[in-house]
Each structure stands twice: as C-alpha cells, then as structure tokens.
Amino acid sequence: MGVKAALPRYELYIYNVVLCLAMLWAAKYIFDVSSSNSNRKSFKSSVQPGWYYSGRKMDTADVEWMMWFSTFREHIIFALSGHVIFGKICSLLAPQYRSLVFMVYGVLAVWSSMGWAYVMLILSHCVLLYSISLVKLRWLCFTAGLSTLATFKMEPFISWQAGFVTGGFELRPLLFYGGCGFTIMRCMSFALENCEKKDGNYSILELLKFNFYLPFFYFGPIMTFDKFYVQANNPNLTRKDGEMWNISIQALLHLGVIIIVAVLLHFMYILSIPSDMKLLKHISDWALVGLAYLNLLYDWVKAAVMFGVINTVSKLDHLEPPKPPKCITLLYVFSEAHFDRGINDFLCKYVYNYLGGKHENILDELIASLCTYGIMALWLGPGWVVFIWAFLNCFGLNFELWTVKFFTMEPFISIEMAISDSMSRRIRAVFNTFNFWTIVLYNVLALNSLEFAKLVAKRLLLKGFPFTTITVMFVTYCLIQLIKEKERRQALIDDPDPIPPPPPPAPVTAPTSTDPSSIQMDTTAAQPTETSKQKAE
C-alpha cells in the first residue's frame, strides 16, 4: 500500500494551499525581522553593503559562499575555463592522452595557487598510500588512510603540515584543508580498488591522474576510482543527442540560482539572525521554525550549486559525476539524508554496504552505521557538536530499521492489509512528519549551533505546545503528502504496471484464494533496501 495509492484531488489542493500560505507567513516574519531598524546593530558585523540599486545590505555570514561567488569568482572561472579549453583541445587532437593532460594542468594550477611545497606534501601522501595499497590488505589501507586523514584534523600535525604553505592569499587556508582532505579520500578509494584488482596493480600514474583532476581537487565531489578510471580512459567521446543542450540548460540554471540566492540574501538575513541568541528569544515561534528550515534549505542550495557548477565542467570532459544532493524539502527518511552524494557513494561502497550486507540484520546494521558515522565525524573534524550530530543521525537511521521490522510483525501487518491504500498512506505520513522534523533538528545542530537547535526544539515541542506544535506538524504533514504524490507519479512513469493477462480457468472444485504477494506495500518509509542510499553528511 502506498506509492501507488492516490488521494482525492481536492485533498491535494488543500495541502498545496496550506503549504503555500505557511511558507509566505514564515517568510513575512523573517523579512520583518530582517528589516527592523532595532535589529541593525545585531547584523552590523555580518551584513555588509550589497547592490547599490537594491537599497539594502547583503547577508555575508556564509564565508564559503562569499569566497566562491563574490571574492574569488574571477580566479575560479579563469582556472576552470583553462581546464575546459585545454581538455577540449586534447580531446580533439589526442583523446587517448586527455586524462594525462588533465593531470598536468591540475598540477600546474595547484602549484600556481599554493606553491611547490604544497604539491610535494600532496605527492608524499599519494606515494605513502600507494605503497601501502601494494600489500592489498583492506584493513591496512583503511587504517593508513584514516590515520593520514587524522593528521589534518588534530594538533600538532595540522600546524606542522600547514607550515609548509606560506603566503597571504586569503583563500589559501580553505584550499589547503579542502585539497588535503579530498586527496586522502581519493587515495583511500584508489587503494581499496587496488586491493580488489585480481591481476597486478594500478600504476601510480593512474592515482595522480585521479587525484589532480582540477575540478574535483579542491571542491569535490568525490568520485570513486573505479568510475573515474573507466570514464577518464574511455576513447569514445561521442555525446548523446541533446546532451550539450542539457549541459547548457544546467549551467544557466545554476547561474539563475546564484542570482536568486544573492537577491534573497539582500532581503532575508537567514544566516545572520541565528547567531544572535538575544534576538532569537524575542521572535515568534513561527519565524523561528521557518528560520531553522530555511537554513537547512539554504545549505542544500549551496551544496547543489557548488557541486552543480563542478559537475557541469566535468560533464564537458565526458565524465558522469555524482548527482547533486537530494533537496531537504523531499527528505523524510534518514536513509536519504545526505548532502554530498560523492561522500555517500564512497561510504556506502567501502563501509556501509560492505559491513551491513543486505541491511536486514539489526546488529550488522548497527555496526555498519557506527563505522560510517565514525568516519564522517573524522572527516568533518572531531568536536562535541560533530559527535552529537553523528550519534543522533546514527540513532535515527537504526531506529528507522527497528521501526520497520516492528511494524512488519503481527498484528500490524494484518491491520494495514485490512485498511484502504489511501488510509495507509495518511497514517504513514503522520509518522513521516515527526521524522522530517527530527532530521531538520539534527542537521541544524551541525549547521548553526547547539544553542540554536535547543531553542528551536524547545519552542517547537515545549513552549509552543499545543498551538505551534500542532500547526507546524499539520503543515509538515501537508508537505509529506505532496512529496509522496510526486513519488507516486514518478513511480508510475518509471515503472507503469502492465495489464496482466487473464488467468487460466480454474477447475470448478478448486478453492479460490488471494495471493498476498499481489498486494503492493508502501515501503517508502525507510525500508531496509533504501538504507543502502544513506549518507552521513
């Protein structure tokens, strides 16, 4: 029951109207807070002069967004444009050497921006992990890779290695940690794939080609070595019909999103408001809840745009990069709550699915998720907020599995078979509503602060009970039903049910029965097979 279960049209219309009104209501509250003259002092440090003709200042609290799309956008455009031009020339003249050209250009770009000392530091880690991969022991490759990654997350190793990079380039610290962190993950992928190679070993040149591919070097996403190796060494560079048109549309779409975000940051200071706890205590419950959701939505938009720009460049190089993250608005299960599909693919392939198997055994699932979130905590950098975030998300993922197994027992399975498909969908949406806000609160903790997450939870569940709690949950219920409707329609497009042939005539004496396997169950709410898509981020 579920994904095929339709609801009446009028009911869906009501859900759409309620959701639109709620979003406009929350946006109005946040706009009023952003425009209030009494709050200007609170925004003084993070709100800077923006577009002159807009008459408003711009929220610049997100340093990463400002670096990529304001301060250093010319440098980034110049470097990526050179990569595309040289790659295109090589693809036309000598396509068999294009991966080598990508590597040479990447090394030169890293050297020009960070210096030879940084290049040698990266090469030393590549050589170290390559040497260990020759032993072909998975546990040794993992131990060496995680230990090397820890040297960029813990003192005094951080300061010692950062000392090799000198200069006053403002973006240099961010490039240092980004390039080093992604390098270690790529080297781990190479080492683990080399362990699986039956005859011989991959050459170190293949590792360098993989690591110094410039679009992925600083910014990500992570593409596992097996996929990169096949695609980068593919001599057939023909494109499908309409592929260049789709790439152009995606590039224009990302440009449009960047402009829209810049406009919104001039009128809604969703990034600066959460940093002022005194101001937060005086705003309404509805504005606070909307602020928490919009912060998470903004983080998804940022990740989608940053990875989208890089993915567009890599598609011009005839690569198929990891897909952008799934929108937070469409998430109501922990098994899909990831913001970086590259990291998710890496962890699922080498850790989560490797240890969890079919994700049917609760103990194996617990071990697999603990190891996965442990690596994620190391990747994000050890800290109390990261540990709390990892623990809560790990618990949420396993709790979904326990809940699914519990409700597939009697008498629940018989009760669900007895009710209508649409009613089953409504009941599941109620449970998904609480799951949705659990995901929001857990991830707001990592994006903002522990104090902000605690304040939102207190106002939503305790101080605002019952009016705010019931209202927000009802609006979220409407959102969940619209998501399920979208999934239902997409499922019908992807896998329409064929008209079954008529059954053969049964003997008169044969008893008739109903085949339980013909009853379609709605397993969209965190089924075990869905958990293979999980990402901790």
Side-chain angles (χ1 to χ4, degrees):
M1 304 176 188
V3 78
K4 301 292 185 180
L7 296 178
R9 285 191 176 184
Y10 71 86
E11 185 175 343
L12 295 175
Y13 290 153
I14 293 174
Y15 294 153
N16 276 289
V17 171
V18 171
L19 186 61
C20 291
L21 292 177
M23 294 293 290
L24 291 174
W25 190 13
K28 179 184 180 301
Y29 272 114
I30 298 174
F31 176 77
D32 292 341
V33 175
S34 303
S35 304
S36 176
N37 292 330
S38 60
N39 298 327
R40 288 184 177 180
K41 292 183 179 180
S42 302
F43 307 143
K44 188 176 182 179
S45 59
S46 58
V47 176
Q48 304 297 329
W51 295 334
Y52 174 77
Y53 49 83
S54 68
R56 290 181 64 92
K57 294 184 177 182
M58 181 179 181
D59 190 346
T60 60
D62 189 345
V63 178
E64 190 177 22
W65 178 275
M66 297 305 299
M67 280 187 172
W68 294 150
F69 300 110
S70 295
T71 310
F72 296 104
R73 61 187 174 192
E74 290 81 6
H75 299 80
I76 296 171
I77 293 174
F78 177 79
L80 294 180
S81 299
H83 169 88
V84 172
I85 293 173
F86 281 105
K88 186 62 177 179
I89 294 174
C90 182
S91 298
L92 294 174
L93 301 179
Q96 66 273 23
Y97 297 115
R98 66 190 186 101
S99 60
L100 185 62
V101 172
F102 290 153
M103 183 199 73
V104 173
Y105 183 86
V107 171
L108 293 176
V110 174
W111 166 71
S112 62
S113 59
M114 301 294 288
W116 274 114
Y118 182 75
V119 175
M120 296 305 296
L121 176 65
I122 294 295
L123 287 174
S124 66
H125 287 292
C126 291
V127 172
L128 173 64
L129 291 175
Y130 174 77
S131 302
I132 295 174
S133 72
L134 299 178
V135 183
K136 293 200 171 185
L137 294 175
R138 289 180 63 94
W139 68 268
L140 185 60
C141 293
F142 254 114
T143 303
L146 296 178
S147 300
T148 308
L149 182 61
T151 62
F152 294 103
K153 305 295 181 180
M154 302 177 183
E155 292 290 356
F157 306 105
I158 300 177
S159 301
W160 178 69
Q161 294 184 90
F164 290 104
V165 182
T166 57
F169 185 35
E170 187 178 352
L171 194 60
R172 187 159 288 173
L174 189 60
L175 295 182
F176 175 84
Y177 293 111
C180 292
F182 281 114
T183 290
I184 302 305
M185 300 294 276
R186 285 188 288 263
C187 288
M188 288 178 63
S189 178
F190 173 87
L192 293 170
E193 293 297 332
N194 196 53
C195 292
E196 299 296 325
K197 188 175 175 62
K198 301 300 182 182
D199 50 339
N201 300 284
Y202 293 107
S203 68
I204 192 172
L205 183 62
E206 296 297 337
L207 172 58
L208 297 180
K209 291 178 183 179
F210 176 47
N211 185 61
F212 283 99
Y213 179 68
L214 183 63
F216 295 165
F217 184 83
Y218 289 122
F219 317 112
I222 291 177
M223 178 186 285
T224 54
F225 175 74
D226 56 331
K227 295 180 180 179
F228 181 87
Y229 179 78
V230 172
Q231 297 176 24
N233 294 287
N234 182 14
N236 184 13
L237 302 181
T238 58
R239 295 190 184 276
K240 300 177 182 178
D241 294 338
E243 184 176 355
M244 280 303 301
W245 171 258
N246 292 332
I247 294 175
S248 302
I249 294 298
Q250 288 180 2
L252 292 175
L253 179 62
H254 294 138
L255 178 61
V257 173
I258 292 172
I259 296 174
I260 291 174
V261 171
V263 172
L264 291 178
L265 292 180
H266 280 80
F267 292 92
M268 299 178 67
Y269 302 152
I270 59 173
L271 305 177
S272 295
I273 295 175
S275 61
D276 190 340
M277 295 303 298
K278 293 182 179 179
L279 175 61
L280 291 175
K281 294 179 180 179
H282 293 89
I283 66 176
S284 67
D285 295 345
W286 196 252
L288 187 63
V289 171
L291 192 64
Y293 170 74
L294 289 177
N295 266 258
L296 212 57
L297 182 62
Y298 166 80
D299 193 72
W300 170 81
V301 171
K302 181 176 69 173
V305 170
M306 291 177 63
F307 290 144
V309 172
I310 298 303
N311 288 356
T312 301
V313 174
S314 62
K315 286 182 179 180
L316 293 174
D317 296 333
H318 298 271
L319 299 180
E320 189 60 38
K323 295 180 181 180
K326 189 173 182 179
C327 180
I328 179 61
T329 304
L330 304 178
L331 293 180
Y332 56 86
V333 290
F334 279 90
S335 57
E336 296 182 353
H338 45 263
F339 283 78
D340 184 341
R341 289 187 189 265
I343 294 283
N344 179 66
D345 294 343
F346 178 94
L347 293 172
C348 284
K349 180 178 178 63
Y350 301 121
V351 184
Y352 189 64
N353 292 338
Y354 183 79
L355 297 176
K358 296 182 179 180
H359 304 284
E360 295 177 350
N361 184 279
I362 291 181
L363 181 59
D364 291 344
E365 177 76 5
L366 179 60
I367 294 174
S369 55
L370 283 174
C371 293
T372 300
Y373 277 101
I375 295 176
M376 274 308 303
L378 180 60
W379 167 254
L380 296 174
W384 280 113
V385 173
V386 174
F387 290 147
I388 295 173
W389 169 85
F391 171 79
L392 292 176
N393 281 273
C394 182
F395 172 78
L397 181 65
N398 283 273
F399 187 73
E400 282 184 349
L401 177 64
W402 303 336
T403 304
V404 168
K405 285 189 173 294
F406 179 74
F407 280 101
T408 53
M409 300 169 60
E410 293 292 349
F412 302 106
I413 190 68
S414 298
I415 294 174
E416 186 171 22
M417 288 182 177
I419 63 178
S420 64
D421 292 0
S422 57
M423 183 56 65
S424 173
R425 171 174 163 174
R426 295 185 184 100
I427 295 174
R428 287 174 179 269
V430 172
F431 288 96
N432 295 147
T433 297
F434 294 98
N435 216 32
F436 180 90
W437 273 104
T438 305
I439 294 174
V440 171
L441 292 175
Y442 288 176
N443 287 279
V444 162
L445 170 70
L447 293 178
N448 297 101
S449 64
L450 179 60
E451 291 75 16
F452 179 65
K454 288 168 59 178
L455 180 62
V456 174
K458 181 179 179 181
R459 296 277 287 274
L460 176 62
L461 302 175
L462 299 177
K463 189 176 179 179
F465 185 84
F467 179 75
T468 301
T469 306
I470 296 176
T471 304
V472 171
M473 291 305 170
F474 176 69
V475 172
T476 308
Y477 171 84
C478 297
L479 173 63
I480 299 298
Q481 289 290 16
L482 295 177
I483 298 172
K484 284 182 175 289
E485 182 64 20
K486 180 177 181 298
E487 293 175 347
R488 185 188 72 85
R489 295 180 179 180
Q490 187 62 43
L492 293 177
I493 295 174
D494 296 340
D495 187 22
D497 289 333
I499 300 175
V508 178
T509 57
T512 58
S513 63
T514 303
D515 181 8
S517 63
S518 65
I519 302 176
Q520 294 184 354
M521 300 296 296
D522 175 15
T523 56
T524 56
Q527 60 179 348
T529 54
E530 284 289 326
T531 57
S532 63
K533 301 178 183 177
Q534 182 271 345
K535 162 84 164 13
E537 195 187 14

